[in-house]
C-alpha cells in the first residue's frame, strides 16, 4: 500500500473505497483502500492478501469449524463479490469469536471495507457463514 497520501484529487470525481485508481506513470491499476478527509488524502494498493472480518455469523452457531484458533487455521473458500469465482483461503479466529482474519490464496483487487465476505466449505461448497470486511491487508 502506498502510505504516502495522494493529494490534489480535485477533478477526479467522487473517490470511494474500492474504486480503481490508475495514476499517471503507473503501469498497474491500483485501488483505493483508505481515505483521510482531514488530510484530503487517499491511500491505494495493488491488491489485498488478507481481510479482517467483523461480526462474522456462522450458519451453525454452536459448531464453527475446527482449527480456527490453530496456527494453520481452517482451509475454506471465500467470495467477496457475488459474481466472482470462489477462491481458496485460510480462516483464523481472533480473540473475539466474532472477528476473523481471512488470508486469500490469491491476492484480490478491489476489496474494500464494507463488503461482505462469504466463507464456504472447501469440500462440499456449502455456505459456512459471512461477515463484513472492516480492514484489508494489502500487497506491498
Amino acid at each position: 500500500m502506498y502510505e504516502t497520501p495522494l493529494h490534489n484529487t480535485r477533478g477526479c470525481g467522487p473517490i470511494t473505497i474500492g474504486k480503481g485508481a490508475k495514476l499517471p506513470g503507473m503501469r498497474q491499476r491500483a485501488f483505493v483502500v483508505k481515505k483521510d478527509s482531514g488530510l484530503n488524502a487517499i491511500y491505494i494498493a495493488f491488491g489485498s492478501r488478507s481481510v479482517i472480518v467483523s461480526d462474522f455469523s456462522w450458519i451453525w452457531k454452536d459448531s464453527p469449524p475446527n482449527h480456527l484458533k490453530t496456527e494453520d487455521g481452517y482451509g475454506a473458500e471465500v467470495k467477496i463479490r457475488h459474481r466472482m469465482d470462489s477462491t481458496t483461503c485460510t480462516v483464523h479466529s481472533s480473540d473475539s469469536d466474532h472477528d476473523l482474519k481471512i488470508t486469500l490464496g490469491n491476492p484480490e483487487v478491489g476489496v474494500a471495507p464494507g463488503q461482505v465476505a462469504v466463507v464456504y466449505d472447501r469440500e462440499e461448497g456449502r455456505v459456512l457463514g459471512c461477515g463484513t470486511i472492516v480492514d484489508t491487508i494489502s500487497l506491498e
Side-chain angles (χ1 to χ4, degrees):
M1 175 168 76
Y2 282 94
E3 290 294 339
T4 304
L6 300 174
H7 295 280
N8 193 12
T9 58
R10 285 180 250 155
C12 297
I15 302 290
T16 57
I17 303 232
K19 181 176 182 170
K22 180 78 166 86
L23 302 174
M26 293 176 68
R27 294 181 186 188
Q28 185 178 0
R29 184 177 180 173
F31 294 85
V32 176
V33 293
K34 180 178 165 186
K35 298 187 327 182
D36 185 331
S37 58
L39 291 175
N40 190 28
I42 62 170
Y43 298 82
I44 62 171
F46 295 105
S48 297
R49 66 173 180 245
S50 298
V51 297
I52 306 299
V53 179
S54 73
D55 298 325
F56 196 87
S57 179
W58 295 101
I59 296 290
W60 295 274
K61 295 184 187 313
D62 57 343
S63 61
N66 295 327
H67 311 297
L68 285 175
K69 294 192 179 199
T70 66
E71 188 176 319
D72 292 336
Y74 175 74
E77 300 269 327
V78 66
K79 279 189 183 184
I80 296 167
R81 290 176 294 281
H82 76 282
R83 289 189 178 170
M84 76 178 278
D85 291 332
S86 62
T87 186
T88 60
C89 68
T90 304
V91 181
H92 289 91
S93 180
S94 67
D95 294 335
S96 163
D97 288 334
H98 298 288
D99 293 347
L100 299 176
K101 178 181 179 186
I102 301 174
T103 303
L104 306 169
N106 295 309
E108 288 289 325
V109 295
V111 178
Q115 292 177 308
V116 174
V118 180
V119 175
Y120 295 83
D121 179 90
R122 191 177 282 174
E123 303 291 320
E124 298 176 22
R126 68 176 191 257
V127 173
L128 297 175
C130 66
T132 305
I133 296 172
V134 294
D135 199 6
T136 61
I137 300 169
S138 303
L139 297 172
E140 296 299 325

